[in-house]
Amino acid sequence: MNIIRNPEKSTWSGLLERPRLNHSTLEEQVQKIIDDVALNGDAAVSKYTREFDHYDAANLEVTAEEIQAAKGNVSKELRRAIEEAHWNIQTFHKKQMHTYETIVTTAGVRCWQKPVPMSSVGLYIPGGSAPLLSTVLMLGIPAKIAGCKDVILCSPPDSSGQVSSSILYIANLLGIDRVFRVGGVQAIAAMAHGTESIPAVNKIFGPGNQYVTMAKQLVSRETVAIDMPAGPSELAVVADSNANPAFIASDLLSQAEHGPDSQVLLLTDSDAMIDRVKIELEKQLKELPRKEIASKALDNSKMILLGGQQEIMEMVNAYAPEHLIIVTANYADLAEQVLNAGSVFLGDYTPESAGDYASGTNHTLPTNGWAHSYSGINMDSFYKKITFQEISRYGLVNIGDAIMTMAEAEELQAHSNAVSIRLRSTEND
Amino acid sequence: MNIIRNPEKSTWSGLLERPRLNHSTLEEQVQKIIDDVALNGDAAVSKYTREFDHYDAANLEVTAEEIQAAKGNVSKELRRAIEEAHWNIQTFHKKQMHTYETIVTTAGVRCWQKPVPMSSVGLYIPGGSAPLLSTVLMLGIPAKIAGCKDVILCSPPDSSGQVSSSILYIANLLGIDRVFRVGGVQAIAAMAHGTESIPAVNKIFGPGNQYVTMAKQLVSRETVAIDMPAGPSELAVVADSNANPAFIASDLLSQAEHGPDSQVLLLTDSDAMIDRVKIELEKQLKELPRKEIASKALDNSKMILLGGQQEIMEMVNAYAPEHLIIVTANYADLAEQVLNAGSVFLGDYTPESAGDYASGTNHTLPTNGWAHSYSGINMDSFYKKITFQEISRYGLVNIGDAIMTMAEAEELQAHSNAVSIRLRSTEND
């Protein structure tokens, strides 16, 4: 890790800069696949599944028998862990359920804002040797609580056509309606445009590699909403001199093992802490199965010594980390000062991995500085809020002049007429 | 208007199709301006202001004196109308304020979701002969209620450098911090990237022509959030045989006058109503100052006779109109069946123009089918919801096994280690 001591404020924006990705060549390649799927449906999806997943799909949809069989491949221990995580995630997200009330904004004018679940959502779950089973929980639980009518899931097959048993097991547990053995750009394109087998959805959720990310971005321009822009995962740790360096190192490494492009930051006002964390990092890194990945991520990462907690929190808010751990004696006070972050972990016994799996909060969070303006996935992500208004005759008499005056100031006479024609009719009554 | 009677369901999707816009040439042109502003700041902004607005800007920011002088140019009648609209919009939006509570998801695990306002937002207000003063209210009021620290506004100058007085008057009334005499792509680029005069913001709101819309879309990929995708305005009216055809015609025209690409739909189970609305349309259209625009919009619009209310509501939800008026005897029942719409207007005395100006609901709404997945602007649009978690030592003992089991199933050993290292330390304690 790079160690920076007491940087001048003028250097902060350079210091906190994320790697800029250049996707221009990727874009063309991905758009071609999307257009092919939009035009040729299942035939195109099958073609790309053969090409990229080396599987010749007879049937894109996973069968009830396969889903039934999956349970047997999931250990009892893992099933118990899933059950526990399920409970906590459900508890936290259920408390976010929306209620609404009718507001009388002025005499005779009644307005309300009604949350209505999206009719159909598509969840994308990457496959590979280690399937992201926790992401099925994080996306599927709120989708089902919201009451989305159609919830479908796409995940790439292995070369024998199988989707990971743990993914199928959780999908079945949550009552996800249909699962398709389709991955990559072709999955995103199919959920955006619909094919003979795979229905088009209103919104697509889920992580993926740079191809999947680009595909989501491209389809979101035209036909379908997506959860949020995506980028490499990241963590900032705020620590004082009393924090536990071994715990901190374990958290930095848990973020670093995600990928060589992951970013971790340690912000502290204790120079000694930097040295102690450095020693712990070296010790713990050696033992990791993914030490090469983690070590690359650490090369891009920084430990920054700052003048005090005020400066530290200023830097946190300038960076807007996806994950933020605060391990200081006064962590509750500092938590109040967080303006920009995805999810925040407070105190010595709240590792980031708790939020990844089982504390109950969602792990789909804004990266790459988007925490300045985006929330992580929450119940809002699965609803639209539709406004309604009901105005009585008297109500329109009440606000009619204001409407007509403003409409005429905007030179929209027909807008004014829609009021005057009604007001005239009340006069004759 | 085109009249379609009892269309087969297989023809619906063609019938409800919106015009597809091809922006590929526009994209290059707009990106060039954005890149120039990102690189050259104020100098580039001034150059494009000279080129497009024919004004040579000495100072991009509107001065306190200009804002003070604006009030004198706004009639007392318009100021009263603005005051009334302000009150109703504020009342409705204030009721959407977020509260939160701490949830204990399981023993020793405390989670909460805290709404935090975005630090800085930029409002774009188009200019021209008829400035959209109502949009300043619709964007500025919730931004200020949310408590966004920096709220700035950009609006194009006329050739003498003036921004519309009514826009300046409302900006001052709402306490908007800074106003810039900058419009078009250069305004969006400046708010996305920041210049010497104009600060970069976290999120850009507001309507605009196709160049502004494309600019918002392009900057939203890299640096800044935007309110929602944009498209031409649209209205669907659901009417039964007892509705008032003159009122309906006035509503269809108030939508049609927005632009030649506006779309209006009348959906009814009464063939007689179609004829009666047609006659009223012809009568009212003649008198409109914007009759040429409205008449072009009507050419693309449809009156559709359907078999009954169930089929009508099915078509409404398939179309997902930005605005929906329901004028049937049982409008309250039909309102319950609305799944996809931006804002809904119920009963004979609730014209769409009421929501455009003064009922209290927001008029910035999803168009072009985006009401399937997007809400209109509401208080959520100005907040991020940040999740927090605080786990006690006992809490980590409680959920630690679940975390480690799931992390290992995902082959993320460091994630598991972050728990085990903490659990080991409790054993020695």
Side-chain angles (χ1 to χ4, degrees):
Chain A
M1 279 178 88
N2 307 291
I3 298 173
I4 298 118
R5 291 190 173 80
N6 298 312
E8 285 285 330
K9 216 169 243 186
S10 59
T11 67
W12 281 21
S13 70
L15 209 57
L16 299 178
E17 204 162 273
R18 275 106 169 163
R20 271 216 159 199
L21 308 167
N22 185 337
H23 284 319
S24 50
T25 53
L26 201 61
E27 179 170 340
E28 204 179 319
Q29 207 179 337
V30 170
Q31 187 67 57
K32 231 176 97 182
I33 299 177
I34 293 172
D35 293 342
D36 193 1
V37 171
L39 196 65
N40 299 309
D42 280 351
V45 172
S46 295
K47 181 178 79 185
Y48 294 111
T49 301
R50 266 195 307 278
E51 187 175 333
F52 299 126
D53 299 312
H54 315 293
Y55 173 65
D56 200 348
N59 182 2
L60 296 175
E61 187 162 359
V62 174
T63 63
E65 291 71 38
E66 288 175 275
I67 290 174
Q68 214 47 52
K71 189 175 172 178
N73 297 328
V74 180
S75 73
K76 193 174 169 190
E77 196 194 2
L78 183 54
R79 279 188 273 132
R80 282 216 178 147
I82 289 167
E83 193 183 337
E84 198 174 327
H86 183 194
W87 176 270
N88 296 349
I89 297 164
Q90 198 176 49
T91 300
F92 187 62
H93 287 75
K94 268 196 174 169
K95 277 284 184 182
Q96 300 167 23
M97 283 290 281
H98 295 91
T99 55
Y100 68 99
E101 57 176 317
T102 298
I103 319 292
V104 174
T105 54
T106 184
V109 181
R110 198 180 277 151
C111 302
W112 63 101
Q113 184 200 39
K114 183 182 174 185
V116 178
M118 279 169 219
S119 301
S120 59
V121 298
L123 316 182
Y124 183 75
I125 307 293
S129 67
L132 288 182
L133 58 103
S134 56
T135 304
V136 189
L137 292 169
M138 294 294 178
L139 301 177
I141 291 172
K144 295 304 286 189
I145 295 174
C148 298
K149 210 172 123 267
D150 298 312
V151 182
I152 68 167
L153 187 153
C154 285
S155 192
D158 64 18
S159 60
S160 70
Q162 297 303 302
V163 170
S164 149
S165 291
S166 57
I167 289 175
L168 295 183
Y169 169 70
I170 298 175
N172 186 46
L173 186 73
L174 302 184
I176 288 172
D177 304 291
R178 303 174 70 184
V179 179
F180 298 91
R181 56 180 111 249
V182 177
V185 175
Q186 59 273 24
I188 303 301
M191 292 194 281
H193 291 282
T195 69
E196 299 88 327
S197 303
I198 304 173
V201 298
N202 299 144
K203 190 167 182 176
I204 298 175
F205 295 80
N209 60 21
Q210 56 178 342
Y211 296 92
V212 167
T213 298
M214 175 54 74
K216 282 173 65 187
Q217 197 178 93
L218 291 175
V219 296
S220 75
R221 293 193 209 171
E222 298 287 344
T223 56
V224 69
I226 61 171
D227 45 3
M228 69 184 81
S233 199
E234 58 201 26
L235 166 69
V237 178
V238 168
D240 64 14
S241 59
N242 293 315
N244 183 317
F247 294 1
I248 293 173
S250 77
D251 293 322
L252 296 174
L253 289 170
S254 79
Q255 191 56 38
E257 77 171 341
H258 272 298
D261 54 2
S262 293
Q263 276 212 323
V264 299
L265 287 181
L266 171 65
L267 309 181
T268 181
D269 52 7
S270 160
D271 210 352
M273 183 55 62
I274 288 180
D275 294 330
R276 293 162 71 196
V277 171
K278 194 163 166 267
I279 292 164
E280 277 292 335
L281 273 175
E282 280 160 18
K283 204 167 92 187
Q284 293 181 31
L285 179 61
K286 275 187 269 175
E287 309 295 322
L288 284 187
R290 294 164 71 92
K291 59 174 166 268
E292 276 175 44
I293 290 171
S295 153
K296 273 186 199 147
L298 291 182
D299 289 346
N300 304 319
S301 295
K302 301 180 180 89
M303 304 207 264
I304 305 177
L305 178 71
L306 291 163
Q309 289 189 337
Q310 196 190 327
E311 214 179 16
I312 289 174
M313 292 312 294
E314 223 174 295
M315 189 176 266
V316 164
N317 288 323
Y319 183 65
E322 180 193 13
H323 303 100
L324 171 66
I325 295 178
I326 306 180
V327 278
T328 63
N330 63 341
Y331 64 75
D333 296 339
L334 296 190
E336 291 296 316
Q337 297 172 36
V338 175
L339 300 180
N340 300 313
S343 194
V344 185
F345 302 79
L346 299 172
D348 280 339
Y349 291 89
T350 315
E352 188 234 293
S353 55
D356 286 339
Y357 297 108
S359 63
T361 61
N362 208 290
H363 79 193
T364 305
L365 296 166
T367 56
N368 207 29
W370 289 110
H372 281 107
S373 50
Y374 279 82
S375 310
I377 292 288
N378 62 76
M379 291 305 296
D380 292 343
S381 317
F382 297 88
Y383 284 99
K384 301 145 310 185
K385 292 183 178 172
I386 303 177
T387 52
F388 291 78
Q389 50 244 289
E390 184 187 7
I391 305 179
S392 69
R393 278 168 51 153
Y394 167 70
L396 195 63
V397 172
N398 177 14
I399 64 170
D401 279 342
I403 298 169
M404 290 188 288
T405 302
M406 293 176 73
E408 282 160 33
E410 292 186 356
E411 294 175 18
L412 294 172
Q413 187 60 45
H415 282 64
S416 179
N417 293 354
V419 175
S420 59
I421 200 169
R422 285 167 165 94
L423 293 185
R424 276 202 304 278
S425 89
T426 65
E427 284 162 17
N428 303 332
D429 212 42
Chain B
M1 280 178 89
N2 306 291
I3 298 172
I4 298 119
R5 293 191 172 81
N6 297 310
E8 285 285 329
K9 218 170 240 184
S10 60
T11 68
W12 280 21
S13 70
L15 209 56
L16 299 178
E17 204 161 273
R18 273 105 170 165
R20 271 214 157 202
L21 308 169
N22 187 336
H23 285 318
S24 50
T25 55
L26 200 61
E27 179 170 340
E28 206 179 317
Q29 207 178 337
V30 170
Q31 187 67 57
K32 231 177 97 182
I33 300 177
I34 294 172
D35 293 343
D36 193 0
V37 171
L39 196 65
N40 299 309
D42 280 351
V45 172
S46 295
K47 183 177 80 185
Y48 294 111
T49 302
R50 266 196 306 280
E51 188 175 335
F52 299 126
D53 299 312
H54 315 294
Y55 173 65
D56 200 348
N59 182 4
L60 297 175
E61 186 162 1
V62 174
T63 63
E65 291 71 36
E66 288 174 276
I67 290 173
Q68 215 46 51
K71 189 175 173 180
N73 297 328
V74 180
S75 72
K76 194 173 169 192
E77 195 194 1
L78 183 54
R79 280 188 272 130
R80 283 217 176 146
I82 288 167
E83 193 183 336
E84 197 174 328
H86 183 194
W87 175 270
N88 297 348
I89 296 164
Q90 198 177 49
T91 301
F92 187 61
H93 287 76
K94 268 196 173 169
K95 277 286 186 181
Q96 299 167 24
M97 284 291 282
H98 295 92
T99 55
Y100 67 99
E101 57 177 317
T102 298
I103 319 292
V104 174
T105 53
T106 184
V109 181
R110 198 179 278 152
C111 302
W112 62 101
Q113 184 201 38
K114 181 181 174 185
V116 178
M118 280 168 218
S119 300
S120 59
V121 298
L123 316 182
Y124 182 75
I125 308 293
S129 66
L132 287 182
L133 59 103
S134 57
T135 304
V136 188
L137 293 168
M138 293 295 177
L139 301 177
I141 291 172
K144 294 304 286 189
I145 295 173
C148 298
K149 209 171 123 266
D150 299 312
V151 182
I152 68 168
L153 187 153
C154 285
S155 192
D158 63 19
S159 59
S160 70
Q162 297 302 304
V163 169
S164 151
S165 291
S166 57
I167 289 175
L168 295 183
Y169 169 69
I170 298 175
N172 186 47
L173 185 74
L174 301 184
I176 289 172
D177 304 292
R178 303 174 69 183
V179 179
F180 299 91
R181 55 181 111 250
V182 178
V185 174
Q186 60 272 25
I188 304 302
M191 293 194 280
H193 291 283
T195 69
E196 300 87 329
S197 304
I198 304 173
V201 298
N202 300 145
K203 189 168 181 177
I204 298 175
F205 296 80
N209 60 22
Q210 56 178 339
Y211 295 91
V212 168
T213 299
M214 175 54 74
K216 283 173 63 187
Q217 196 179 92
L218 291 174
V219 296
S220 75
R221 293 194 209 169
E222 297 289 345
T223 57
V224 69
I226 61 170
D227 45 2
M228 68 185 81
S233 198
E234 57 201 26
L235 164 70
V237 178
V238 168
D240 63 14
S241 59
N242 293 315
N244 183 318
F247 294 0
I248 293 174
S250 76
D251 293 322
L252 295 175
L253 288 171
S254 78
Q255 191 56 39
E257 78 171 339
H258 272 297
D261 54 1
S262 293
Q263 275 211 324
V264 299
L265 287 181
L266 170 65
L267 309 180
T268 181
D269 52 7
S270 159
D271 209 353
M273 183 55 63
I274 290 181
D275 294 329
R276 292 162 71 196
V277 170
K278 192 162 169 267
I279 292 165
E280 277 292 335
L281 274 175
E282 281 159 17
K283 204 167 91 186
Q284 294 181 30
L285 179 62
K286 274 187 270 173
E287 309 295 322
L288 284 186
R290 294 165 69 93
K291 58 176 166 266
E292 275 175 44
I293 292 171
S295 154
K296 272 187 199 144
L298 291 182
D299 287 347
N300 304 319
S301 296
K302 300 180 181 90
M303 305 207 261
I304 304 178
L305 178 71
L306 291 163
Q309 289 189 336
Q310 196 189 328
E311 213 178 16
I312 288 173
M313 292 311 296
E314 223 174 293
M315 189 176 266
V316 163
N317 288 323
Y319 182 65
E322 180 193 13
H323 304 99
L324 171 66
I325 294 179
I326 307 181
V327 277
T328 62
N330 62 340
Y331 64 74
D333 296 339
L334 297 190
E336 291 297 315
Q337 297 172 36
V338 175
L339 301 179
N340 300 313
S343 193
V344 185
F345 301 79
L346 299 172
D348 279 340
Y349 291 90
T350 315
E352 189 234 293
S353 55
D356 286 338
Y357 296 108
S359 63
T361 60
N362 209 290
H363 79 193
T364 306
L365 297 166
T367 55
N368 208 28
W370 289 111
H372 281 108
S373 50
Y374 279 82
S375 311
I377 293 289
N378 62 75
M379 292 305 297
D380 292 343
S381 315
F382 297 86
Y383 284 98
K384 303 145 306 187
K385 292 183 177 172
I386 303 177
T387 52
F388 291 78
Q389 50 244 289
E390 184 186 7
I391 304 178
S392 69
R393 280 168 50 153
Y394 168 70
L396 196 63
V397 172
N398 177 12
I399 65 170
D401 279 342
I403 299 169
M404 292 188 288
T405 302
M406 291 176 75
E408 283 160 32
E410 292 187 356
E411 294 175 19
L412 295 171
Q413 188 60 45
H415 282 63
S416 179
N417 292 354
V419 174
S420 59
I421 200 169
R422 286 167 165 93
L423 293 185
R424 275 201 305 278
S425 89
T426 67
E427 282 162 17
N428 303 334
D429 211 40

